[in-house]
Amino acid sequence: MLNIAVVLLFLAACLAPYISPAWFWPISFLTLAFPFLLGLLVFFLVGWLLFNYRYALLSLTAILLGWKSITAYFAFNLPANNKPLAADESIMVMSYNVSQFGLYKEKDSKYNRQAMFALIKKQEPDIACFQDFYTSERKNDFNNREDISHEMKLPYRFFSSDFNRNGMQHWGSIIYSKYPIIASDKVKMSEGPLSESLIYADIVRNGDTIRIVNMHLESYRFNQKDYSAIKKIKNQEDTGLVATKSIVQKMREAYIRRSQQADIVGGFIRQSPYPVIVCGDFNDTPASYTYFKIRGDLQDAFLQKGIGIGRTFSGLAPTLRIDYIFVSPYFKVNSFRKINSDLSDHYPVIANLSITGKKPAADDVNK
């Protein structure tokens, strides 16, 4: 009976990419359990193969039916094939949720900021997409927008400035480029005072126009009280019925809002007249509706060259890959890596790309 229950839950999780949380939100919670459900299926499969192989068919059938979701969650590549090309033959792309450079992490954030600047500079990105970005024009504050352009030799940029305080302090997402930007804009992904924008910049490299897309999708908006409650529940210190209700409500709202944002983002990408490089903190796993809706037929750089689960968020669970780089088939992914740094609660992800030399037809750019 337990095996049957796990099979049913696993198959329900595999339906999540096809069912918008705006229509049926409970299924989204199963996407967080996806790798654990898969682990249980493998356990049952091996166990039944040893004791009664006929019962193993149940788990095996479920795994085969869920193969699309499995191959989106796990990367199966050899490390030997993960090698970047020389700088003059490739484009180095970095995506990083910088958590405001530690603005609220400690009393004096300058040391965290300096370390983060050093980390970014060492990677020598040609294109850098940052989420949860903070900059200021106040005296004795950090003008990160200008400083990164100067220190990283990335002179071209576009910043969303979704939130500002007194016109001097700004928060949002930003795109930096070594290559000239010929067009840029932002697209509101949802309504409300706390909504952020999708931003894009069309760059020109060696005569090729490429559209860079960057976004930060809706988070759960957990506060410190929520994280403390989650920790107590995990440690079985508290049944947490009241806290659980609040946490579930926040997660429900986030799932619904992200699905609506994903519909907008997916449509925008498909309409692009140019090949795209899509970066962002999606706040959702590879088993989700959000992931599949935005990815479409694009290549996931991690799946092309990474290995394993590829965790990019340091909190909550060791299975959370929520930061992505997607690219059009027009590109070849030469290498992918993430840096396990504790400077932010997200790990930076970096992809080395080259152009295949095969220009797609106008109608087939980003299907």
Side-chain angles (χ1 to χ4, degrees):
M1 287 297 293
L2 182 57
N3 193 174
I4 294 172
V6 171
V7 165
L8 292 175
L9 289 172
F10 175 78
L11 292 177
C14 292
L15 289 175
Y18 310 100
I19 300 174
S20 172
W23 182 72
F24 185 68
W25 58 267
I27 200 169
S28 299
F29 284 86
L30 290 175
T31 63
L32 293 175
F34 180 84
F36 305 105
L37 292 170
L38 178 60
L40 286 172
L41 278 185
V42 172
F43 173 78
F44 282 120
L45 176 63
V46 173
W48 287 126
L49 283 173
L50 293 174
F51 297 105
N52 192 331
Y53 72 91
R54 285 177 297 179
Y55 291 119
L57 288 174
L58 182 63
S59 295
L60 179 61
T61 301
I63 289 170
L64 292 175
L65 289 173
W67 193 247
K68 182 176 180 180
S69 292
I70 292 170
T71 54
Y73 220 105
F74 299 92
F76 307 95
N77 296 291
L78 296 173
N81 296 328
N82 192 14
K83 293 180 180 177
L85 292 186
D88 59 343
E89 299 175 3
S90 63
I91 306 169
M92 194 70 76
V93 179
M94 181 180 201
S95 183
Y96 194 7
N97 181 319
V98 294
S99 297
Q100 303 172 61
F101 297 100
L103 181 64
Y104 299 112
K105 189 176 180 180
E106 50 190 278
K107 272 189 175 180
D108 190 348
S109 63
K110 70 178 180 181
Y111 301 110
N112 195 86
R113 175 183 180 269
Q114 287 170 358
M116 203 172 282
F117 269 45
L119 183 151
I120 296 167
K121 190 172 184 177
K122 188 177 179 181
Q123 313 316 313
E124 298 183 327
D126 300 312
I127 295 163
C129 294
F130 300 134
Q131 307 87 37
D132 206 3
F133 186 88
Y134 169 75
T135 190
S136 173
E137 286 96 41
R138 293 192 313 172
K139 189 177 180 182
N140 298 323
D141 205 345
F142 299 119
N143 193 332
N144 295 313
R145 179 168 39 180
E146 293 286 348
D147 291 347
I148 286 179
S149 275
H150 177 71
E151 291 190 32
M152 316 300 170
K153 296 183 171 57
L154 296 168
Y156 308 100
R157 63 177 185 255
F158 181 70
F159 180 44
S160 66
S161 188
D162 290 310
F163 317 110
N164 75 80
R165 184 180 295 159
N166 302 321
M168 299 291 285
Q169 294 173 280
H170 308 269
W171 291 264
S173 298
I174 193 166
I175 296 170
Y176 284 98
S177 173
K178 184 173 105 174
Y179 312 107
I181 294 175
I182 59 170
S184 57
D185 205 350
K186 63 181 183 177
V187 177
K188 272 289 181 188
M189 295 187 292
S190 53
E191 298 301 321
L194 296 177
S195 63
E196 295 190 49
S197 305
L198 169 156
I199 61 173
Y200 74 89
D202 295 339
I203 66 166
V204 176
R205 177 188 180 273
N206 296 337
D208 293 305
T209 303
I210 301 165
R211 175 160 290 179
I212 313 300
V213 180
N214 187 22
M215 76 205 76
H216 184 199
L217 301 189
E218 183 74 12
S219 73
Y220 295 123
R221 301 193 185 279
F222 289 156
N223 53 35
Q224 196 56 48
K225 187 178 177 183
D226 294 323
Y227 283 115
S228 297
I230 291 170
K231 187 176 180 181
K232 284 184 178 180
I233 294 167
K234 283 169 70 176
N235 294 337
Q236 298 182 337
E237 296 172 14
D238 188 357
T239 56
L241 292 177
V242 175
T244 299
K245 186 177 178 182
S246 170
I247 290 165
V248 169
Q249 178 65 21
K250 286 184 177 182
M251 292 178 73
R252 172 185 171 274
E253 291 173 0
Y255 282 129
I256 293 171
R257 202 171 172 96
R258 273 201 301 272
S259 69
Q260 295 165 340
Q261 293 174 337
D263 290 339
I264 292 170
V265 173
F268 178 82
I269 291 170
R270 273 12 125 213
Q271 292 171 5
S272 173
Y274 310 116
V276 298
I277 298 172
V278 178
C279 298
D281 170 8
F282 293 5
N283 275 307
D284 233 332
T285 72
S288 66
Y289 175 87
T290 298
Y291 172 90
F292 278 92
K293 190 68 177 180
I294 295 175
R295 179 184 162 191
D297 290 333
L298 301 178
Q299 303 177 84
D300 182 332
F302 168 73
L303 294 181
Q304 293 297 311
K305 293 294 178 178
I307 187 168
I309 289 178
R311 176 189 190 181
T312 66
F313 185 68
S314 63
L316 295 179
T319 58
L320 293 179
R321 180 165 76 99
I322 60 176
D323 302 89
Y324 304 95
I325 298 175
F326 296 161
V327 299
S328 299
Y330 180 59
F331 298 97
K332 179 186 177 185
V333 181
N334 303 308
S335 69
F336 177 92
R337 61 194 174 93
K338 68 182 179 77
I339 301 171
N340 294 334
S341 164
D342 63 357
L343 297 173
S344 166
D345 53 359
H346 291 252
Y347 303 143
V349 292
I350 301 156
N352 181 269
L353 312 172
S354 55
I355 293 172
T356 62
K358 219 167 49 171
K359 281 211 172 188
D363 294 336
D364 298 327
V365 177
N366 303 296
K367 272 189 177 177

mmCIF file of all heavy atoms in Angstrom, residues 35-53:
data_model
loop_
_atom_site.group_PDB
_atom_site.id
_atom_site.type_symbol
_atom_site.label_atom_id
_atom_site.label_comp_id
_atom_site.label_asym_id
_atom_site.label_seq_id
_atom_site.Cartn_x
_atom_site.Cartn_y
_atom_site.Cartn_z
ATOM 1 N N PRO A 35 12.079 15.083 -5.602
ATOM 2 C CA PRO A 35 13.275 14.223 -5.518
ATOM 3 C C PRO A 35 13.182 13.165 -4.427
ATOM 4 O O PRO A 35 13.747 12.073 -4.560
ATOM 5 C CB PRO A 35 14.411 15.216 -5.248
ATOM 6 C CG PRO A 35 13.750 16.415 -4.665
ATOM 7 C CD PRO A 35 12.389 16.487 -5.301
ATOM 8 N N PHE A 36 12.457 13.475 -3.354
ATOM 9 C CA PHE A 36 12.306 12.512 -2.260
ATOM 10 C C PHE A 36 11.355 11.382 -2.670
ATOM 11 O O PHE A 36 11.587 10.212 -2.346
ATOM 12 C CB PHE A 36 11.802 13.226 -1.006
ATOM 13 C CG PHE A 36 12.670 14.381 -0.594
ATOM 14 C CD1 PHE A 36 12.264 15.689 -0.816
ATOM 15 C CD2 PHE A 36 13.912 14.164 -0.005
ATOM 16 C CE1 PHE A 36 13.076 16.754 -0.447
ATOM 17 C CE2 PHE A 36 14.725 15.226 0.374
ATOM 18 C CZ PHE A 36 14.307 16.525 0.136
ATOM 19 N N LEU A 37 10.301 11.737 -3.390
ATOM 20 C CA LEU A 37 9.385 10.718 -3.906
ATOM 21 C C LEU A 37 10.091 9.805 -4.900
ATOM 22 O O LEU A 37 9.902 8.580 -4.888
ATOM 23 C CB LEU A 37 8.174 11.384 -4.567
ATOM 24 C CG LEU A 37 7.220 12.129 -3.641
ATOM 25 C CD1 LEU A 37 6.214 12.945 -4.444
ATOM 26 C CD2 LEU A 37 6.488 11.162 -2.710
ATOM 27 N N LEU A 38 10.930 10.410 -5.739
ATOM 28 C CA LEU A 38 11.700 9.607 -6.692
ATOM 29 C C LEU A 38 12.648 8.663 -5.952
ATOM 30 O O LEU A 38 12.792 7.493 -6.323
ATOM 31 C CB LEU A 38 12.488 10.515 -7.635
ATOM 32 C CG LEU A 38 13.384 9.805 -8.661
ATOM 33 C CD1 LEU A 38 12.566 8.897 -9.573
ATOM 34 C CD2 LEU A 38 14.170 10.822 -9.480
ATOM 35 N N GLY A 39 13.279 9.162 -4.898
ATOM 36 C CA GLY A 39 14.174 8.322 -4.102
ATOM 37 C C GLY A 39 13.452 7.120 -3.501
ATOM 38 O O GLY A 39 13.979 5.996 -3.496
ATOM 39 N N LEU A 40 12.228 7.352 -3.013
ATOM 40 C CA LEU A 40 11.432 6.249 -2.463
ATOM 41 C C LEU A 40 11.054 5.239 -3.543
ATOM 42 O O LEU A 40 11.069 4.027 -3.309
ATOM 43 C CB LEU A 40 10.162 6.805 -1.807
ATOM 44 C CG LEU A 40 10.352 7.510 -0.455
ATOM 45 C CD1 LEU A 40 9.055 8.172 -0.010
ATOM 46 C CD2 LEU A 40 10.826 6.508 0.606
ATOM 47 N N LEU A 41 10.746 5.745 -4.748
ATOM 48 C CA LEU A 41 10.417 4.839 -5.854
ATOM 49 C C LEU A 41 11.600 3.940 -6.201
ATOM 50 O O LEU A 41 11.434 2.742 -6.434
ATOM 51 C CB LEU A 41 9.997 5.643 -7.087
ATOM 52 C CG LEU A 41 8.559 6.132 -7.165
ATOM 53 C CD1 LEU A 41 8.309 6.809 -8.506
ATOM 54 C CD2 LEU A 41 7.573 4.996 -6.962
ATOM 55 N N VAL A 42 12.776 4.530 -6.256
ATOM 56 C CA VAL A 42 13.979 3.747 -6.554
ATOM 57 C C VAL A 42 14.214 2.708 -5.453
ATOM 58 O O VAL A 42 14.584 1.566 -5.733
ATOM 59 C CB VAL A 42 15.204 4.672 -6.712
ATOM 60 C CG1 VAL A 42 16.490 3.857 -6.832
ATOM 61 C CG2 VAL A 42 15.039 5.573 -7.926
ATOM 62 N N PHE A 43 13.977 3.121 -4.207
ATOM 63 C CA PHE A 43 14.119 2.188 -3.075
ATOM 64 C C PHE A 43 13.173 0.992 -3.231
ATOM 65 O O PHE A 43 13.575 -0.168 -3.076
ATOM 66 C CB PHE A 43 13.829 2.933 -1.765
ATOM 67 C CG PHE A 43 13.772 2.040 -0.555
ATOM 68 C CD1 PHE A 43 14.923 1.580 0.047
ATOM 69 C CD2 PHE A 43 12.531 1.651 -0.028
ATOM 70 C CE1 PHE A 43 14.864 0.755 1.166
ATOM 71 C CE2 PHE A 43 12.461 0.818 1.084
ATOM 72 C CZ PHE A 43 13.638 0.370 1.682
ATOM 73 N N PHE A 44 11.905 1.284 -3.546
ATOM 74 C CA PHE A 44 10.934 0.200 -3.750
ATOM 75 C C PHE A 44 11.304 -0.661 -4.955
ATOM 76 O O PHE A 44 11.173 -1.894 -4.918
ATOM 77 C CB PHE A 44 9.534 0.778 -3.939
ATOM 78 C CG PHE A 44 8.868 1.200 -2.661
ATOM 79 C CD1 PHE A 44 8.474 2.512 -2.465
ATOM 80 C CD2 PHE A 44 8.636 0.286 -1.642
ATOM 81 C CE1 PHE A 44 7.861 2.904 -1.287
ATOM 82 C CE2 PHE A 44 8.025 0.666 -0.459
ATOM 83 C CZ PHE A 44 7.641 1.985 -0.271
ATOM 84 N N LEU A 45 11.777 -0.008 -6.010
ATOM 85 C CA LEU A 45 12.152 -0.746 -7.220
ATOM 86 C C LEU A 45 13.258 -1.759 -6.921
ATOM 87 O O LEU A 45 13.151 -2.945 -7.288
ATOM 88 C CB LEU A 45 12.620 0.238 -8.299
ATOM 89 C CG LEU A 45 13.152 -0.357 -9.605
ATOM 90 C CD1 LEU A 45 12.063 -1.137 -10.328
ATOM 91 C CD2 LEU A 45 13.715 0.733 -10.503
ATOM 92 N N VAL A 46 14.300 -1.300 -6.255
ATOM 93 C CA VAL A 46 15.420 -2.188 -5.919
ATOM 94 C C VAL A 46 14.968 -3.286 -4.948
ATOM 95 O O VAL A 46 15.316 -4.464 -5.104
ATOM 96 C CB VAL A 46 16.587 -1.378 -5.308
ATOM 97 C CG1 VAL A 46 17.686 -2.321 -4.802
ATOM 98 C CG2 VAL A 46 17.153 -0.404 -6.339
ATOM 99 N N GLY A 47 14.160 -2.892 -3.970
ATOM 100 C CA GLY A 47 13.687 -3.859 -2.984
ATOM 101 C C GLY A 47 12.863 -4.967 -3.616
ATOM 102 O O GLY A 47 13.083 -6.162 -3.342
ATOM 103 N N TRP A 48 11.923 -4.600 -4.470
ATOM 104 C CA TRP A 48 11.082 -5.612 -5.115
ATOM 105 C C TRP A 48 11.874 -6.468 -6.108
ATOM 106 O O TRP A 48 11.558 -7.654 -6.296
ATOM 107 C CB TRP A 48 9.899 -4.949 -5.818
ATOM 108 C CG TRP A 48 8.836 -4.425 -4.896
ATOM 109 C CD1 TRP A 48 8.326 -3.164 -4.856
ATOM 110 C CD2 TRP A 48 8.138 -5.150 -3.878
ATOM 111 N NE1 TRP A 48 7.375 -3.033 -3.882
ATOM 112 C CE2 TRP A 48 7.233 -4.256 -3.262
ATOM 113 C CE3 TRP A 48 8.196 -6.468 -3.410
ATOM 114 C CZ2 TRP A 48 6.397 -4.636 -2.215
ATOM 115 C CZ3 TRP A 48 7.357 -6.860 -2.373
ATOM 116 C CH2 TRP A 48 6.468 -5.954 -1.787
ATOM 117 N N LEU A 49 12.870 -5.870 -6.753
ATOM 118 C CA LEU A 49 13.704 -6.670 -7.658
ATOM 119 C C LEU A 49 14.424 -7.778 -6.903
ATOM 120 O O LEU A 49 14.673 -8.867 -7.438
ATOM 121 C CB LEU A 49 14.727 -5.776 -8.371
ATOM 122 C CG LEU A 49 14.200 -4.923 -9.534
ATOM 123 C CD1 LEU A 49 15.276 -3.976 -10.026
ATOM 124 C CD2 LEU A 49 13.709 -5.808 -10.683
ATOM 125 N N LEU A 50 14.745 -7.506 -5.641
ATOM 126 C CA LEU A 50 15.446 -8.504 -4.828
ATOM 127 C C LEU A 50 14.513 -9.579 -4.280
ATOM 128 O O LEU A 50 14.910 -10.736 -4.109
ATOM 129 C CB LEU A 50 16.174 -7.811 -3.668
ATOM 130 C CG LEU A 50 17.349 -6.898 -4.053
ATOM 131 C CD1 LEU A 50 17.870 -6.175 -2.824
ATOM 132 C CD2 LEU A 50 18.473 -7.704 -4.695
ATOM 133 N N PHE A 51 13.241 -9.182 -4.003
ATOM 134 C CA PHE A 51 12.353 -10.106 -3.300
ATOM 135 C C PHE A 51 11.163 -10.604 -4.140
ATOM 136 O O PHE A 51 10.704 -11.730 -3.958
ATOM 137 C CB PHE A 51 11.834 -9.454 -2.011
ATOM 138 C CG PHE A 51 12.923 -9.147 -1.036
ATOM 139 C CD1 PHE A 51 13.372 -7.851 -0.850
ATOM 140 C CD2 PHE A 51 13.534 -10.163 -0.307
ATOM 141 C CE1 PHE A 51 14.385 -7.557 0.054
ATOM 142 C CE2 PHE A 51 14.544 -9.879 0.598
ATOM 143 C CZ PHE A 51 14.982 -8.585 0.772
ATOM 144 N N ASN A 52 10.644 -9.760 -5.024
ATOM 145 C CA ASN A 52 9.512 -10.184 -5.871
ATOM 146 C C ASN A 52 9.454 -9.244 -7.072
ATOM 147 O O ASN A 52 8.814 -8.191 -7.015
ATOM 148 C CB ASN A 52 8.199 -10.147 -5.080
ATOM 149 C CG ASN A 52 7.072 -10.840 -5.827
ATOM 150 O OD1 ASN A 52 7.061 -10.886 -7.063
ATOM 151 N ND2 ASN A 52 6.110 -11.387 -5.089
ATOM 152 N N TYR A 53 10.132 -9.642 -8.139
ATOM 153 C CA TYR A 53 10.351 -8.728 -9.267
ATOM 154 C C TYR A 53 9.052 -8.245 -9.924
ATOM 155 O O TYR A 53 9.015 -7.180 -10.538
ATOM 156 C CB TYR A 53 11.257 -9.389 -10.320
ATOM 157 C CG TYR A 53 10.593 -10.503 -11.110
ATOM 158 C CD1 TYR A 53 9.935 -10.234 -12.296
ATOM 159 C CD2 TYR A 53 10.644 -11.814 -10.649
ATOM 160 C CE1 TYR A 53 9.334 -11.245 -13.017
ATOM 161 C CE2 TYR A 53 10.048 -12.830 -11.368
ATOM 162 C CZ TYR A 53 9.387 -12.551 -12.554
ATOM 163 O OH TYR A 53 8.786 -13.534 -13.267
#
